[in-house]
């Protein structure tokens, strides 16, 4: 599935602090015809990705695709920023998405309420069952929540959400049960590499 086809779903699920359902690309079957030997494309190199506004950094497999969308909500108009990286030949997607809250809402909202709402919306929108959850903190002590859930199609999402300076961040790895076992360390490393950069 292409990033473009994911956007309507991302927009629909993320507005109220939801999540993203990414259909990881299936590897193409190898052709039976013998072809001249061609060197295989190198695996994407993991490198530090810095948000265009400089507000977060994270390790990504190559350069993520970016999309920006505006949505009208009960809090006012919200802009969604979504970054998606899908390595070739792997059934996994690495996603960072965030939205800024209108100032008045951001000042009043309790971070734990925002995180709980985000968890509930993610489960409801993706029709998933919660596997585990725990409260966490970002590297510079912003409140967060880690959740893991599985949808009816067997896709497993591990997500870490943080509320920081009027913004809700969601860092996700979405994969299959089989791929998750082989990528467990990689996914943990990816989630651990997320860092909120404080405004000066």
């Amino acid at each position: 599935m292409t990033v473009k086809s994911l956007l309507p779903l991302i927009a629909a699920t993320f507005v109220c602090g939801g999540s993203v359902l990414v259909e990881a690309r299936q590897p193409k079957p190898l052709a039976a015809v013998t072809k001249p030997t061609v060197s295989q494309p190198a695996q994407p190199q993991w490198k530090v990705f810095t948000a265009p506004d400089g507000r977060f950094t994270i390790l990504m497999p190559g350069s993520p695709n970016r999309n920006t969308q505006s949505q009208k909500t009960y809090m006012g108009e919200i802009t969604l920023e979504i970054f998606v990286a899908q390595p070739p030949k792997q059934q996994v997607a690495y996603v960072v998405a965030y939205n800024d809250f209108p100032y008045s809402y951001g000042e009043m909202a309790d971070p734990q309420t925002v995180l709980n709402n985000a968890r509930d919306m993610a489960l409801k929108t993706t029709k998933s069952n919660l596997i585990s959850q725990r409260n966490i903190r970002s590297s510079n002590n912003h409140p967060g929540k880690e959740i893991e859930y599985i949808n009816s199609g067997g896709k497993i999402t591990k997500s870490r959400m943080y509320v920081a300076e009027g913004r809700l961040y969601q860092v996700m790895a979405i994969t299959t049960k089989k791929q998750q076992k082989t990528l467990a360390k990689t996914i943990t490393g990816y989630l651990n590499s997320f860092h909120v950069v404080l405004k000066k």
Side-chain angles (χ1 to χ4, degrees):
M1 185 178 277
T2 63
V3 171
K4 197 170 183 181
S5 64
L6 297 172
L7 296 177
L9 180 58
I10 290 171
T13 61
F14 198 72
V15 168
C16 300
S19 185
V20 186
L21 174 64
V22 176
E23 192 68 45
R25 289 182 294 209
Q26 298 292 330
K28 293 179 182 176
L30 294 173
V33 180
T34 304
K35 296 181 180 179
T37 304
V38 179
S39 61
Q40 290 294 318
Q43 284 295 323
Q45 186 177 1
W46 286 78
K47 56 188 177 184
V48 175
F49 171 73
T50 301
D53 67 358
R55 297 270 301 274
F56 73 82
T57 61
I58 191 166
L59 284 172
M60 280 282 210
S63 298
N65 292 300
R66 178 188 183 187
N67 188 267
T68 304
Q69 290 195 355
S70 293
Q71 295 286 327
K72 290 183 178 176
T73 75
Y74 66 93
M75 296 178 287
E77 191 166 50
I78 282 179
T79 300
L80 309 175
E81 291 284 355
I82 304 143
F83 303 88
V84 182
Q86 290 182 277
K89 300 184 179 180
Q90 290 184 13
Q91 294 180 306
V92 63
Y94 298 97
V95 183
V96 180
Y98 70 79
N99 64 274
D100 289 309
F101 296 118
Y103 181 77
S104 58
Y105 181 84
E107 287 292 294
M108 293 185 304
D110 171 58
Q112 283 304 324
T113 301
V114 172
L115 293 166
N116 288 339
N117 288 342
R119 174 202 60 208
D120 295 345
M121 186 57 89
L123 296 174
K124 180 180 177 182
T125 309
T126 59
K127 296 177 181 173
S128 297
N129 292 316
L130 186 68
I131 298 171
S132 64
Q133 65 175 328
R134 65 189 178 105
N135 291 329
I136 55 175
R137 290 266 168 184
S138 70
S139 56
N140 39 26
N141 213 33
H142 292 292
K145 187 178 286 288
E146 179 185 277
I147 61 174
E148 190 170 8
Y149 53 92
I150 184 167
N151 72 6
S152 58
K155 291 286 186 295
I156 297 175
T157 299
K158 193 161 189 176
S159 172
R160 288 185 184 173
M161 305 173 288
Y162 302 98
V163 176
E165 299 181 325
R167 179 176 283 186
L168 172 67
Y169 292 97
Q170 295 195 54
V171 187
M172 292 166 273
I174 302 132
T175 187
T176 60
K177 278 185 183 177
K178 183 179 179 182
Q179 191 87 81
Q180 189 201 36
K181 289 175 183 175
T182 58
L183 290 176
K185 285 185 179 178
T186 302
I187 288 171
T188 299
Y190 163 73
L191 295 171
N192 287 343
S193 74
F194 179 77
H195 180 70
V196 176
V197 179
L198 302 179
K199 286 190 286 191
K200 293 179 181 177

